[in-house]
Amino acid sequence: MKNKRCVKHKIVILNWNGEAHLKRFLPSVVESVSALPQVGVVVADNGSTDGSLELLACDFPSVEVVRLDRNYGFAEGYNRALKQIEADYVVLLNSDVETPKGWVEPLIRCLDENPDVAACAPKLRYSEERENFEYAGAAGGYIDFLGYPFCRGRILRHIECDRGQYDDERDLFWVSGAAYCCRKELFDALGGFDGDYFAHMEEIDLSWRMQLAGWRVRIVPESVVYHYGGGTLKTDSPRKIFLNHRNNLAMLFKCASPLQCLAVILLRPGLDFLAALTYLVQGHSANFAAVFRAWWEVLGWYPALLDKRKAVQAMRRSEGNRYIYRGSILLCYLFGKRRASQLRLPR
């Protein structure tokens, strides 16, 4: 058992009925930090009903376990778990991520050497096609002026092979919640993730709020991990489409400038209707309905979102829009620009 008094940083894996993922991926995490007494591994269990807890007790005695009474989702699950964890830095790691040796040290070094960097992350490659970027974060992300997220290495559905084209360490707009290293004290001060989101977009939302508060977000390509992805919700599931649309709109209402909000109000309804219509033409009526349900729920959230916007603006120390891409990623994609290297991204 590690001496907890030596542990300054924690890798925190949120688990819900993920016994199979823990069996496959947790050994690599434990092994990768076995020689680092300042780094501990924690599994925060979101009320699992499978054999996850028994597996941890039997096979991973060095791993600290935080037990939550039920499934609070990704966002609120992490919020509740981190309240029970003491650390300088926390690495929020998905349970389906494989970590080679040497992956965590560059992240810690980035925060140590850059006191104004709030969060950083490694490159994400796909565990099943290991030379390809992984959809959830690739080599760090941006949003365009209408709020559509994309990554260096992944624009919409087009995923690139990693040939080192994005190996420059840099500031950008967001990094993936699949492997999200941040300052614990700042996470707490900003209220953590938005617990109402349940899952999806919470890391982009938090990254934006960090920048509005005057901090930086950074990708560290020297660190590479391998993400399986889609273990809980498949890309085209109605639930995932609903959460992504709803949470994206809520994030924009909370964080965007008045001008950007106006652009979203004028243009997004039509674009989202076209997206919904595409699902219908493809025979996915549940996905069609999910887009409208997302809008309906955001409208119902209006009073709460107004309060959240006021809170975000009260903490503002920066415009927080330096790394927002001023063009339309949809138009870029339609006109054949499907690699981030073809875009003039803000720096």
Side-chain angles (χ1 to χ4, degrees):
M1 182 72 72
K2 291 180 180 178
N3 185 345
K4 292 184 180 180
R5 290 174 297 178
C6 296
V7 176
K8 294 178 60 180
H9 315 305
K10 299 285 183 70
I11 298 167
V12 187
I13 299 169
L14 190 69
N15 174 68
W16 179 70
N17 288 346
E19 181 182 4
H21 284 333
L22 294 176
K23 283 181 180 178
R24 176 177 174 184
F25 296 103
L26 186 54
S28 74
V29 180
V30 173
E31 174 61 23
S32 70
V33 298
S34 60
L36 302 175
Q38 76 275 28
V39 180
V41 180
V42 182
V43 171
D45 189 75
N46 233 345
S48 292
T49 56
D50 65 355
S52 295
L53 292 172
E54 292 79 3
L55 174 72
L56 291 168
C58 292
D59 293 357
F60 301 98
S62 68
V63 172
E64 182 182 348
V65 178
V66 172
R67 298 191 183 199
L68 302 177
D69 61 329
R70 62 181 177 85
N71 182 13
Y72 290 94
F74 186 93
E76 185 61 14
Y78 264 125
N79 288 346
R80 289 175 178 260
L82 291 186
K83 288 178 181 178
Q84 304 180 47
I85 293 171
E86 293 184 7
D88 293 338
Y89 308 153
V90 287
V91 183
L92 311 183
L93 190 71
N94 278 16
S95 62
D96 58 351
V97 173
E98 178 187 337
T99 58
K101 284 189 176 181
W103 73 282
V104 77
E105 292 93 322
L107 304 179
I108 293 172
R109 186 163 56 247
C110 176
L111 295 189
D112 281 346
E113 295 177 355
N114 298 277
D116 58 344
V117 169
C120 63
K123 282 196 303 185
L124 291 184
R125 287 184 183 168
Y126 183 35
S127 65
E128 308 305 288
E129 297 172 9
R130 298 173 75 87
E131 296 305 312
N132 288 347
F133 286 110
E134 201 277 320
Y135 183 93
Y142 296 84
I143 63 169
D144 71 3
F145 202 65
L146 295 178
Y148 293 109
F150 62 97
C151 305
R152 296 196 307 164
R154 191 272 297 170
I155 294 180
L156 300 184
R157 297 296 182 87
H158 180 78
I159 297 173
E160 298 180 48
C161 178
D162 181 9
R163 298 186 176 90
Q165 66 270 43
Y166 304 119
D167 275 357
D168 55 317
E169 183 173 326
R170 63 157 71 183
D171 292 354
L172 31 62
F173 193 76
W174 62 273
V175 289
S176 174
Y180 194 92
C181 180
C182 67
R183 300 180 189 274
K184 170 68 163 54
E185 185 177 8
L186 181 63
F187 183 94
D188 294 339
L190 294 177
F193 293 132
D194 189 324
D196 290 334
Y197 284 10
F198 190 81
H200 298 298
M201 295 283 170
E202 65 286 315
E203 78 271 48
I204 306 180
D205 177 290
L206 179 58
S207 295
W208 199 346
R209 287 186 281 123
M210 287 172 169
Q211 291 166 84
L212 289 168
W215 295 80
R216 297 156 55 204
V217 174
R218 198 160 178 84
I219 188 73
V220 184
E222 182 184 350
S223 172
V224 180
V225 299
Y226 299 90
H227 186 208
Y228 179 70
T232 304
L233 288 174
K234 299 302 181 185
T235 303
D236 287 329
S237 75
R239 176 68 171 165
K240 189 163 193 169
I241 288 168
F242 164 73
L243 290 171
N244 273 323
H245 276 81
R246 183 196 66 180
N247 297 348
N248 180 262
L249 293 167
M251 174 185 71
L252 288 163
F253 186 91
K254 287 166 51 180
C255 300
S257 68
L259 179 60
Q260 189 178 7
C261 281
L262 179 61
V264 169
I265 290 169
L266 292 176
L267 298 175
R268 277 290 295 271
L271 291 171
D272 284 1
F273 175 76
L274 288 175
L277 198 61
T278 300
Y279 290 130
L280 190 62
V281 170
Q282 293 172 344
H284 303 306
S285 58
N287 294 352
F288 171 84
V291 176
F292 288 94
R293 190 160 61 91
W295 272 90
W296 180 255
E297 188 151 323
V298 167
L299 292 174
W301 277 3
Y302 177 76
L305 287 174
L306 192 59
D307 289 340
K308 289 180 180 181
R309 182 174 177 85
K310 290 177 181 177
V312 169
Q313 301 309 311
M315 299 189 73
R316 178 192 287 268
R317 300 292 181 272
S318 165
E319 290 302 312
N321 58 9
R322 178 176 176 179
Y323 297 106
I324 295 175
Y325 180 61
R326 298 297 171 176
S328 166
I329 200 63
L330 298 179
L331 287 178
C332 289
Y333 189 85
L334 289 173
F335 284 99
K337 292 184 177 181
R338 300 181 179 182
R339 298 189 303 275
S341 57
Q342 296 175 293
L343 308 177
R344 296 184 63 182
L345 295 174
R347 294 207 59 170

